[in-house]
Amino acid sequence: MVTLGISQQHLLEVYQDPYIARVGHDHRPAAPIDHPNVTYLSAWVDEKFCGAFMAIKQSAVELELHALLKKSALKQSRQLGLACLAWAFAQPILRVTVYIIQGLEAAKNYCLKLGFKHEGCRRNACVQNGVIKDVYMLGMTRQEWGAL
């Protein structure tokens, strides 16, 4: 189950999880973002908190999504991802975009299995642990979501 909002305690728990913290990049640690365009959704399995999703409103028609799921949620990650997408497309948007750092192939494959399409690659777009990396862009349109 995915619910709108997240407690401060759960938000800190997410970003302190080593499995999630590894996505820090560009000399910034993985940390909560407090901005009016950022919305957090809590992810739950059997009434147990197992992570979050972060949605960033990029424009009136586009949301950028980030999965912040604990390793313990891997078995339910597809169900949780689809619930997050259902929430996203309940908003008045036309598309959802995800950005995946090179080397996080499991994350890229997860998004492809959810129905995202590979749209491109931003070469040398971030630095992670001192290594310059590409960033893959994946997207899903409202039409594609409706066809799933």
Side-chain angles (χ1 to χ4, degrees):
M1 173 174 61
V2 173
T3 60
L4 183 61
I6 190 167
S7 72
Q8 190 65 27
Q9 176 186 348
H10 284 138
L11 189 59
L12 293 175
E13 184 181 326
V14 163
Y15 283 106
Q16 289 173 353
D17 186 310
Y19 186 69
I20 295 166
R22 65 193 173 105
V23 299
H25 57 88
D26 298 329
H27 310 294
R28 296 175 301 197
I33 298 174
D34 183 19
H35 190 277
N37 288 354
V38 175
T39 300
Y40 282 95
L41 306 169
S42 298
W44 301 85
V45 173
D46 298 328
E47 298 183 23
K48 182 178 179 188
F49 177 73
C50 60
F53 292 91
M54 179 176 60
I56 303 171
K57 185 175 181 179
Q58 293 295 343
S59 72
V61 299
E62 179 182 24
L63 285 178
E64 177 184 331
L65 290 180
H66 297 267
L68 305 166
L69 298 175
K70 296 179 174 192
K71 197 171 189 174
S72 62
L74 287 180
K75 287 183 181 180
Q76 296 85 11
S77 62
R78 185 166 186 196
Q79 172 190 354
L80 293 167
L82 291 172
C84 178
L85 285 168
W87 172 86
F89 283 109
Q91 312 307 306
I93 60 164
L94 298 178
R95 63 172 288 119
V96 172
T97 304
V98 296
Y99 296 95
I100 308 292
I101 298 170
Q102 177 184 5
L104 298 175
E105 301 310 312
K108 182 178 174 186
N109 290 334
Y110 168 65
C111 292
L112 291 170
K113 286 178 184 176
L114 288 175
F116 284 88
K117 305 288 185 230
H118 187 268
E119 295 183 334
C121 177
R122 296 177 62 219
R123 297 172 297 127
N124 296 339
C126 78
V127 177
Q128 189 178 49
N129 300 321
V131 178
I132 299 170
K133 294 188 174 186
D134 296 345
V135 175
Y136 306 114
M137 298 177 301
L138 291 85
M140 181 184 295
T141 66
R142 180 174 291 283
Q143 278 183 312
E144 291 165 339
W145 170 250
L148 290 180

